[in-house]
Amino acid sequence: MAELDELVLASSPRDAGISCWDLRSGAELLRYRSCSSPPHGLASIGCRFLVSSQLQDSSSSTPSLLYWSWNKPQPEVRSFPVEPIKPVVSNSDGTYIIGGALSGHIFLWEVASGTLLKKWHAHYRAVTCLVFSDDESLLISGAEDGHIKVWSLYRLFDDMGDTMNQSPYEHVFSEHTLHVTDIVAGYGGCNAIILSSSEDRTCKVWSLSKKKLLRTIVFPSIINAVALDPGEYAFYAGGRDGKIYIGALSAESSTNSTYGMHIIGSLSGHSKAVTCLAFSLDGISLISGSEDGTFRVWDTKARHVNRIFKHAKGPINNILVLRKPLPSSPKTSRNTQGSVSRRHLLSTLPPPLDKYINSMDGDDGTRAVRAVLAPRDESLDSQFLSSHVMINQIKELQQQGSSAATEVELERLREDCKRSLQMVQKWKKMYQDLLRLSINELLDEDQKGGNA
C-alpha cells in the first residue's frame, strides 16, 4: 500500500509567513504570507483550511485571527477578537475553534457561522497551550500561572450544571511552579495520561483517571515542547539548549543516565532552542522546529536526521503535520448537485468570527451542547462535518459510476483502515503499559507500607 502523503507546515513569530513542504519528497509546495504566530497559535480546521492567531510586537497593532485556504498564499478571512489570542485549537471535524487569551479567558467559536458560543475565565494569567483528549470530550489548558486545567465540554455547555454552581473543570493540576510551555495527551480519553512541560525545567506525567501526579522528570534545560511516542513507551522534550531529550515513561528508572533520572538519551543537531515537536502520521519520524530557522526530520529508531528543511526567514515556533488534502477530480465535477456542493466545500471559507456573544443566546452567552457536539442544521453544518462530506461523496460516486473517482475513494478507505489497525495496536501497547505501571505502583506502595 502506498505511503500516506503528508504535509509539514512551519510558522514564525515574525512576519515570515507559513511554509508548507511535502514530507516525503522534501519539495516546498507553497508559502502563506502575512503570519506572525505565537507558540501554539497555528491550527488546521478539519484539514480544509488554516487558522492562526496573530500577536504583533507593536502595542498599536490590532490582534487578529487569520484564515488561509490551501491553494492561496494570502489570508482570505480576518477576524478581530475582543482581546489578543495566543493558542488556538480545533476539533478534528473542524466544527469549532477554541482560543486562549492573554487575560486568561478561553473563547469558543462555531466555525460554520462564526458565532461566539462561550467565553469563560479559565486562568489568572495568559493561556499558553490548549489540547484535546483523543476522544475530544475534554479540553486541557495550560497557562502562565503554572496551572493545568481539564475541562469537560459537556459540562461547559450544561446549563443545569451552571445553575447548580458546579465547577466547569474536571480537575486542576498545580504542581508546576512557572509557566506551562506545552501539553500533550495520550490515548484513552478520560483514562489517558497527560504530559506537560514548564519553564521550571520539569516535565510532569499526570493520570486523568486518578487525578494525580505520577512522575516528575527534571531536565538540564528549560523545556519548550514535548511529544509522546505513539506507543507511549517514551517521550521527547525539546530544550532551550538545542537538544531533544528522550524521557522514559515505563515504571523502571535509572540513576546511571548522563542527564538525570528517567532521561535515557538525547538528539543533538539544532544550534538554538527547540521550540516545537510533532510526530509524522506513521509514528516513526519526529519533526522538530527551532529558533535556528530549521526543522529536522528524525528517525526515532536510528536516532539520526533524515532531512533538514529551512524556513524562509526567522525562527520557527509552530509545526503542523497533516495529511495532504485530496484534489477534486474533473471526472467527479460534472453537472450534479453533489459536485456543486463538493466544489463549494473545497473553495469557500467560513465567515469571520464574532467579537462578542449574542445577548439573545442567554445571559451568560452559552448555547446548548448540541450546537458544538452534534449537527444542528444540515444546510449549515454539513459543509463542515466530515461524516456529511463522506456521505455526499459516496452518493456522488454511486450516481456517476466513475471508475477513477471510485479508485480514489477506495484508496482513502484503505488508508483509513490501515490507520485504524495501527490505532488498535497502539491501544494494546497502552493497556500493557498501564497494567505494568499499576502493578509497579502497587508494589511500591506495599514496600513503603512495610518500611513504615
Side-chain angles (χ1 to χ4, degrees):
M1 185 179 296
E3 292 181 330
L4 293 176
D5 291 327
E6 297 178 64
L7 301 179
V8 180
L9 296 99
S11 67
S12 173
R14 302 174 188 172
D15 192 7
I18 304 169
S19 298
C20 177
W21 287 272
D22 185 298
L23 181 59
R24 303 300 175 188
S25 68
E28 185 173 3
L29 303 178
L30 190 63
R31 189 168 297 165
Y32 304 93
R33 300 170 188 166
S34 306
C35 179
S36 301
S37 62
H40 309 292
L42 178 67
S44 167
I45 308 301
C47 285
R48 289 185 299 278
F49 56 94
L50 299 175
V51 62
S52 176
S53 54
Q54 305 293 295
L55 286 180
Q56 304 289 346
D57 295 333
S58 173
S59 58
S60 61
S61 60
T62 304
S64 61
L65 286 165
L66 305 182
Y67 287 165
W68 290 264
S69 60
W70 284 112
N71 57 352
K72 295 182 181 178
Q74 296 289 356
E76 296 187 80
V77 178
R78 297 177 183 267
S79 303
F80 300 96
V82 69
E83 56 181 300
I85 300 296
K86 292 187 72 176
V88 291
V89 68
S90 173
N91 64 322
S92 58
D93 280 336
T95 316
Y96 51 91
I97 296 173
I98 301 178
L102 291 177
S103 65
H105 283 92
I106 294 179
F107 295 77
L108 191 153
W109 289 276
E110 183 182 54
V111 173
S113 63
T115 303
L116 179 57
L117 299 176
K118 191 171 181 69
K119 167 190 173 183
W120 72 96
H121 188 70
H123 293 272
Y124 293 106
R125 299 188 66 181
V127 181
T128 55
C129 40
L130 295 168
V131 297
F132 283 110
S133 61
D134 66 324
D135 62 359
E136 299 186 342
S137 65
L138 302 174
L139 174 71
I140 306 160
S141 62
E144 290 183 358
D145 58 16
H147 290 181
I148 297 168
K149 291 187 177 180
V150 182
W151 309 87
S152 167
L153 293 183
Y154 289 99
R155 187 176 294 182
L156 283 170
F157 284 86
D158 182 4
D159 294 334
M160 180 66 71
D162 289 343
T163 59
M164 295 174 63
N165 295 321
Q166 294 181 357
S167 173
Y169 57 82
E170 295 289 324
H171 192 67
V172 56
F173 300 110
S174 56
E175 281 79 355
H176 280 302
T177 57
L178 292 175
H179 300 181
V180 177
T181 56
D182 200 7
I183 298 172
V184 62
Y187 297 103
C190 62
N191 295 311
I193 61 169
I194 298 175
L195 177 65
S196 62
S197 60
S198 168
E199 290 186 355
D200 61 13
R201 298 192 178 215
T202 70
C203 285
K204 296 183 183 290
V205 184
W206 317 85
S207 169
L208 270 179
S209 59
K210 296 181 179 179
K211 300 181 179 179
K212 72 173 186 178
L213 176 65
L214 299 178
R215 174 170 293 178
T216 298
I217 302 98
V218 182
F219 289 85
S221 171
I222 292 175
I223 300 301
N224 288 326
V226 288
L228 266 177
D229 179 270
E232 298 191 8
Y233 291 109
F235 69 93
Y236 296 82
R240 292 191 182 175
D241 58 0
K243 292 183 178 180
I244 303 172
Y245 297 95
I246 306 172
L249 284 177
S250 59
E252 294 81 7
S253 62
S254 172
T255 57
N256 298 323
S257 171
T258 304
Y259 302 109
M261 185 77 74
H262 306 302
I263 304 175
I264 57 178
S266 67
L267 305 173
S268 299
H270 288 292
S271 59
K272 293 184 179 180
V274 177
T275 57
C276 43
L277 296 171
F279 267 97
S280 60
L281 300 183
D282 60 12
I284 297 176
S285 300
L286 176 71
I287 298 95
S288 60
S290 170
E291 289 182 355
D292 63 14
T294 68
F295 73 84
R296 296 169 180 251
V297 182
W298 304 84
D299 185 323
T300 55
K301 294 181 178 179
R303 296 190 182 182
H304 65 74
V305 176
N306 287 337
R307 183 172 281 130
I308 301 176
F309 296 83
K310 176 69 177 177
H311 191 43
K313 57 182 179 178
I316 293 174
N317 66 348
N318 287 300
I319 288 286
L320 286 183
V321 181
L322 304 171
R323 184 176 176 179
K324 189 175 183 179
L326 289 175
S328 57
S329 172
K331 293 184 180 181
T332 61
S333 300
R334 296 173 183 170
N335 297 326
T336 65
Q337 184 177 359
S339 20
V340 170
S341 64
R342 188 174 181 182
R343 289 197 302 270
H344 180 73
L345 169 67
L346 295 173
S347 61
T348 303
L349 288 169
L353 302 174
D354 288 347
K355 201 169 199 176
Y356 302 102
I357 291 175
N358 188 346
S359 59
M360 297 298 292
D361 292 331
D363 295 336
D364 62 352
T366 62
R367 284 188 179 183
V369 67
R370 63 178 180 272
V372 178
L373 300 179
R376 295 175 293 103
D377 180 66
E378 174 111 5
S379 62
L380 180 63
D381 289 349
S382 60
Q383 300 177 23
F384 299 92
L385 293 175
S386 60
S387 61
H388 290 275
V389 174
M390 290 178 68
I391 292 172
N392 289 336
Q393 290 179 357
I394 290 172
K395 288 181 179 178
E396 179 182 343
L397 293 173
Q398 290 174 339
Q399 291 173 357
Q400 296 178 0
S402 168
S403 59
T406 303
E407 185 61 31
V408 170
E409 192 67 24
L410 285 175
E411 181 62 25
R412 176 158 49 175
L413 292 174
R414 291 191 191 101
E415 292 174 355
D416 290 341
C417 181
K418 179 181 177 181
R419 292 172 60 189
S420 299
L421 292 174
Q422 291 174 344
M423 186 67 68
V424 170
Q425 294 301 320
K426 292 175 184 178
W427 273 88
K428 288 181 180 179
K429 292 179 181 179
M430 180 196 70
Y431 283 118
Q432 290 172 358
D433 292 341
L434 287 175
L435 178 60
R436 183 171 57 181
L437 181 61
S438 300
I439 292 173
N440 286 330
E441 286 183 351
L442 290 173
L443 291 175
D444 290 343
E445 291 177 0
D446 291 340
Q447 288 177 358
K448 291 178 182 179
N451 294 333

